[in-house]
């Protein structure tokens, strides 16, 4: 019996992690990105994921069925697709009609977006019912909960398909209704924004902020360590999307966050954000 097939569009931190997790669950994965440097980084990331999994599992590395490609046509035969491109509505809306043409009728497209309403992406397709929101959290291999977003047009078939995918990957899910930012980021992004303000004002260090959230509220890592894992550039883009839709002050990006991104301090992936990741 052949392995189920999955296409992942976008080879960033989350995309490469989703590809690895799905391949580990037995999927034949095609990971597509137009940026060859991103694909090279994804290959290295998959090797790191597998070495860590082997170390923690007490086994040798095992071959995974992951194909890396720059050609969207290579996902044409996929039974399911996870779209994980940069958080840009114009860019995603340009991609979705291409996916609609490339994929067989009825193949579900999971939009892994931080804040863009799923209905806005689904309307770009001839069959909007095939689109469902799937918000994976970083690190994908350690967080087993996934926020699933059902747009008004999302079909029961698409919802069942994504729940099957997540079940095979060992993930739990909560299905919520569509809105900008959904639940997690509509709540989390203002918290990160205000935490950045606290640091900029000299009230507390990033570590002090996170220690209070961990010790007082039971958070695993705190808002600023979480922001570093997400990527501060993604945080800023998400805040911009939320501010565009809601227009309220809690989503207006704090200058400290924007300055950090302008300086290249985008979090764990760049080696420096609110914390240093260079081993020091």
């Amino acid at each position: 019996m052949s392995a189920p097939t999955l296409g992942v569009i976008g080879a960033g931190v989350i995309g490469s992690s989703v590809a690895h997790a799905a391949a580990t669950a037995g999927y034949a994965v095609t990971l597509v990105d137009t940026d060859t440097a991103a694909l090279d980084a994804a290959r290295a990331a998959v090797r790191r994921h597998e070495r860590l999994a082997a170390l923690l599992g007490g086994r040798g590395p095992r071959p995974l069925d992951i194909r890396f490609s720059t050609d969207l046509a290579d996902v044409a035969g996929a039974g399911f697709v996870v779209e994980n491109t940069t958080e840009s509505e114009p860019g995603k809306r340009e991609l979705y009609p291409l996916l609609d043409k490339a994929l067989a009728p009825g193949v579900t497209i999971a939009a892994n977006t931080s804040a863009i309403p799923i209905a806005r992406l689904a309307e770009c397709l001839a069959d909007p019912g095939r689109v469902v929101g799937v918000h994976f959290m970083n690190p994908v291999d350690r967080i087993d909960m996934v926020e699933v977003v059902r747009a008004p047009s999302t079909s029961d078939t698409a919802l069942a398909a994504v729940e099957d995918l997540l079940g095979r990957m060992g993930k739990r899910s909560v299905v919520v209704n569509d809105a900008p930012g959904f639940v997690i980021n509509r709540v989390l992004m203002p918290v990160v924004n205000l935490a950045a303000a606290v640091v900029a004002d000299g009230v507390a260090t990033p570590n002090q902020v996170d220690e209070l959230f961990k010790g007082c509220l039971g958070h695993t890592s705190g808002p600023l360590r979480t922001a570093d894992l997400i990527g501060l550039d993604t945080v800023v883009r998400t805040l911009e999307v939320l501010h565009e839709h809601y227009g309220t002050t809690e989503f207006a990006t704090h200058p400290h966050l924007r300055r950090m991104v302008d300086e290249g301090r985008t979090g764990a992936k760049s080696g420096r954000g609110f914390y240093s990741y260079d081993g020091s």
Side-chain angles (χ1 to χ4, degrees), residues 26-280:
Y27 281 84
V29 178
T30 300
L31 179 59
V32 176
D33 201 299
T34 56
D35 185 347
T36 55
L39 287 174
D40 289 341
R43 287 187 184 90
V46 167
R47 288 194 294 269
R48 287 195 301 272
H49 286 311
E50 188 56 13
R51 283 197 298 268
L52 179 60
L55 179 64
L56 295 177
R59 58 169 174 79
R62 59 188 176 191
L64 298 177
D65 191 350
I66 303 179
R67 179 185 182 188
F68 300 85
S69 174
T70 57
D71 190 351
L72 189 64
D74 285 337
V75 301
F80 194 103
V81 165
V82 178
E83 178 277 311
N84 190 74
T85 58
T86 300
E87 188 73 359
S88 161
E89 184 171 333
K92 288 179 184 288
R93 288 176 66 87
E94 183 177 332
L95 170 66
Y96 272 64
L98 301 178
L99 281 174
D100 205 22
K101 293 177 182 177
L103 298 171
V107 171
T108 297
I109 301 171
N112 188 19
T113 171
S114 298
I116 300 168
I118 303 307
R120 294 278 296 163
L121 303 176
E123 70 185 18
C124 300
L125 279 67
D127 175 15
R130 66 157 77 185
V131 182
V132 59
V134 182
H135 187 198
F136 287 95
M137 310 295 163
N138 190 33
V140 173
D141 59 339
R142 294 206 297 265
I143 298 179
D144 70 352
M145 178 63 74
V146 178
E147 183 180 32
V148 174
V149 185
R150 184 169 196 170
S153 59
T154 300
S155 68
D156 290 342
T157 301
L159 198 62
V162 78
E163 289 178 336
D164 178 66
L165 168 71
L166 295 175
R168 288 171 182 259
M169 293 172 66
K171 304 292 185 185
R172 298 177 296 132
S173 64
V174 172
V175 181
V176 301
N177 292 325
D178 194 19
F182 325 121
V183 173
I184 291 294
N185 280 338
R186 189 173 176 180
V187 175
L188 176 61
M189 292 299 117
V191 174
V192 172
N193 214 21
L194 288 172
V198 165
V199 171
D201 291 345
V203 176
T205 66
N207 187 63
Q208 289 170 331
V209 171
D210 286 344
E211 285 300 308
L212 286 168
F213 270 78
K214 290 190 290 184
C216 297
L217 302 178
H219 288 208
T220 301
S221 59
L224 297 181
R225 181 74 72 176
T226 299
D228 271 1
L229 288 173
I230 294 169
L232 302 187
D233 50 343
T234 299
V235 169
V236 168
R237 284 195 297 268
T238 303
L239 283 166
E240 289 170 345
V241 171
L242 291 166
H243 192 258
E244 176 187 347
H245 283 279
Y246 293 112
T248 47
T249 56
E250 69 267 27
F251 300 120
T253 305
H254 192 277
H256 185 56
L257 269 178
R258 197 175 295 281
R259 183 166 54 250
M260 292 177 70
V261 171
D262 289 344
E263 293 172 352
R265 296 165 56 193
T266 56
K269 61 186 174 184
S270 71
R272 191 173 175 220
F274 285 102
Y275 296 87
S276 175
Y277 300 89
D278 59 3
S280 62

